[in-house]
């Protein structure tokens, strides 16, 4: 395609290091679509004849049909998907194929194809995340009243409801979706027609190709258009943040499934056995989601390092932009699907969770709050009194609400029998009805809002 000024062909090493076809063949659909939009525009603008434009369009369809039927051939001599397609087109329709590359370069071509690909990846992630949110909301609705220990430092802190805990992830995933949405909006401009770097002297219509490809309009600067990959980085940043969230939920499933916790029974379909220990049921899918978060953020760092310090305009380093994005997209799609399956199918062992909430003096704050409310005692003093009560209960091996009233009274005479109404885990969660708090009524409100936002009936 470019041999005119060369006396010698490339060495074997040159061909191998240069070839991107092994991975950028994944862009074939976008490449055909962008080429069809380009040639239709060239025809409409009379840069090529209407007849040639139709011949080329039909030829592109034929190449696409071949790829669909038998895959994209990998010939290193043809470097990349763009040259592979153009070369096959020439075999099919003859020299008129050479008119397709008028007023464009592989630089704007790859920038266009890659944007289209990332845009599709965003749409795919969005759909998966919406399904995950639906699963979270359904399970949260079932468990608005189910009590579990809430933790800080993974130490029992205060009782919460399982519905509240699940809705925390609903919120995180909602912000992840909005990050993808922002990235999509920002990247949705067409670089096509920027040509190699400076634009073109042919009378082209960039609005027309932008519209044909679903972009909001053409990009404003040809140098920027062929040089930046911030759209891919935006995607990888959103993907990394999302993967971090998924990894935290994965980790909770792993902890909850361990025998000392026993909070959940993970679905068999998303677990594996051990080849030596017959009793084992391992949370491998959750562990891999946790692991994939590391690889996905590695992809982000990889592309950031590729782009760092590159002068304008295109440099071949940028060919390395695709593998990390393709890798991250595949890992993210799997992670979202695995977590959604776990959320939907996991059996929550609510009696175990409630039992654990009874341990660890989870309602100690409720005793302190009661002293503040009923005894008009400053919170710091109430905290101290409660500490003494916890110490006593601990030494006797009983829960706070199992201490006899007389013993509580020796700690502080202002305590009376009404305190027991505040010390149960049910009373504790029911009391926390501040906006966004863990009280079952609050959780039901949030679930109803979420169902409406997701377009679920009722
Ligand atoms: N395969 C190349 C890439 O992905 C296409 C652009 C090549 N442009 C160039 N000037 N060599 O980056």
């Amino acid at each position: 395609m470019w041999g005119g000024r060369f006396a010698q062909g490339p060495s074997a090493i040159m061909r191998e290091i240069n070839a991107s076809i092994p991975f950028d063949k994944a862009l074939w659909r976008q490449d055909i679509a962008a080429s069809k939009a380009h040639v239709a525009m060239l025809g409409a603008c009379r840069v090529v004849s209407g007849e040639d434009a139709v011949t080329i369009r039909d030829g592109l369809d034929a190449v696409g049909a071949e790829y669909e039927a038998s895959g994209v051939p990998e010939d290193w001599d043809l470097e990349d998907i763009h040259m592979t397609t153009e070369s096959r087109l020439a075999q099919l329709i003859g020299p008129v194929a050479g008119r397709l590359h008028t007023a464009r370069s592989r630089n704007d071509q790859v920038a266009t194809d890659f944007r289209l690909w990332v845009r599709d990846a965003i749409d795919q992630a969005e759909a998966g995340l919406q399904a995950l949110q639906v699963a979270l909301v359904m399970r949260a609705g079932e468990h608005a009243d189910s009590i579990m220990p809430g933790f800080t430092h993974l130490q029992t802190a205060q009782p919460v409801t399982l519905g509240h805990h699940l809705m925390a992830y609903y919120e995180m995933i909602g912000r992840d979706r909005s990050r993808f949405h922002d990235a999509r909006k920002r990247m949705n401009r067409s670089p096509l027609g920027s040509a190699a770097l400076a634009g073109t002297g042919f009378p082209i219509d960039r609005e027309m190709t932008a519209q044909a490809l679903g972009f909001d309009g053409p990009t404003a600067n040809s140098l920027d258009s062929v040089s930046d990959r911030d759209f891919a980085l935006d995607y990888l940043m959103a993907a990394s943040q999302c993967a971090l969230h998924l990894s935290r939920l994965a980790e909770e499933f792993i902890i909850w499934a361990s025998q000392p916790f026993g909070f959940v029974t993970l679905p068999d379909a998303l677990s594996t056995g051990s080849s030596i220990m017959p009793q084992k049921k391992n949370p491998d899918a959750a562990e891999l989601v946790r692991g994939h978060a590391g690889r996905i953020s590695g992809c982000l760092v990889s592309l950031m390092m590729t782009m760092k310090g590159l002068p304008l305009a295109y440099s071949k380093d940028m060919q390395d932009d695709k593998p990390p994005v393709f890798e991250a997209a595949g890992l993210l799609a799997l992670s979202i699907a695995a977590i959604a399956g776990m959320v939907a199918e996991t059996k929550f062992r609510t009696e175990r969770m409630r039992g654990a909430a009874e341990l660890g003096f989870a309602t100690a704050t409720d005793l302190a709050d009661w002293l503040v409310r009923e005894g008009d005692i400053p919170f710091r003093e109430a905290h101290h009194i409660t500490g003494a009560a916890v110490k006593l209960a601990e030494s006797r091996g009983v829960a706070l609400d199992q201490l006899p009233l007389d013993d509580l009274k020796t700690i502080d005479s202002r305590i009376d029998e009404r305190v027991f109404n505040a010390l149960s885990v049910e009373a504790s969660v029911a009391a926390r009805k501040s906006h966004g708090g863990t009280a079952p009524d609050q959780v039901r409100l949030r679930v109803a809002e979420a169902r409406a936002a997701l377009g679920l009936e009722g």
Side-chain angles (χ1 to χ4, degrees), residues 93-146:
I93 65 172
V96 65
R99 297 192 186 277
L100 170 61
H101 213 52
T102 315
R104 100 178 166 181
S105 147
R106 277 188 293 158
N107 295 348
D108 60 337
Q109 196 180 350
V110 73
T112 305
D113 294 358
F114 198 26
R115 278 190 199 223
L116 291 172
W117 195 95
V118 172
R119 201 174 69 182
D120 287 348
I122 288 177
D123 293 343
Q124 194 199 355
E126 262 274 84
L129 290 174
Q130 156 132 14
L132 171 55
Q133 281 191 312
V134 169
L136 285 164
V137 166
M138 304 295 282
R139 301 310 303 273
E142 288 167 32
H143 291 289
D145 294 287
S146 304

Side-chain angles (χ1 to χ4, degrees), residues 212-291:
L213 295 169
F215 288 112
D216 297 328
T219 50
N221 182 295
S222 61
L223 286 167
D224 172 47
S225 307
V226 297
S227 297
D228 213 340
R229 293 293 183 265
D230 58 352
F231 65 89
L233 287 168
D234 274 352
Y235 166 74
L236 288 173
M237 287 178 211
S240 297
Q241 175 60 75
C242 178
L244 295 186
H245 284 152
L246 299 178
S247 78
R248 298 184 70 177
L249 183 49
E251 170 69 357
E252 300 210 284
F253 277 128
I254 294 163
I255 294 173
W256 292 354
S258 75
Q259 284 71 18
F261 267 80
F263 283 9
V264 296
T265 306
L266 292 176
D268 282 357
L270 289 164
S271 306
T272 58
S274 158
S275 52
I276 174 165
M277 295 168 284
Q279 87 284 11
K280 287 297 285 283
K281 178 171 157 187
N282 293 327
D284 292 37
E287 291 170 291
L288 285 163
V289 171
R290 187 175 62 183

Side-chain angles (χ1 to χ4, degrees), residues 2 18-21 23-24 27 78-83 105-111 114 196 229 314-322:
W2 39 257
N18 205 32
S20 56
I21 188 68
F23 53 85
D24 70 14
L27 296 174
L78 295 172
E79 281 187 42
D80 57 25
I81 184 61
H82 323 296
M83 305 234 277
S105 147
R106 277 188 293 158
N107 295 348
D108 60 337
Q109 196 180 350
V110 73
F114 198 26
R229 293 293 183 265
Y314 178 88
S315 299
K316 197 64 174 254
D317 318 38
M318 290 166 66
Q319 179 164 282
D320 283 344
D321 58 358
K322 286 167 237 39

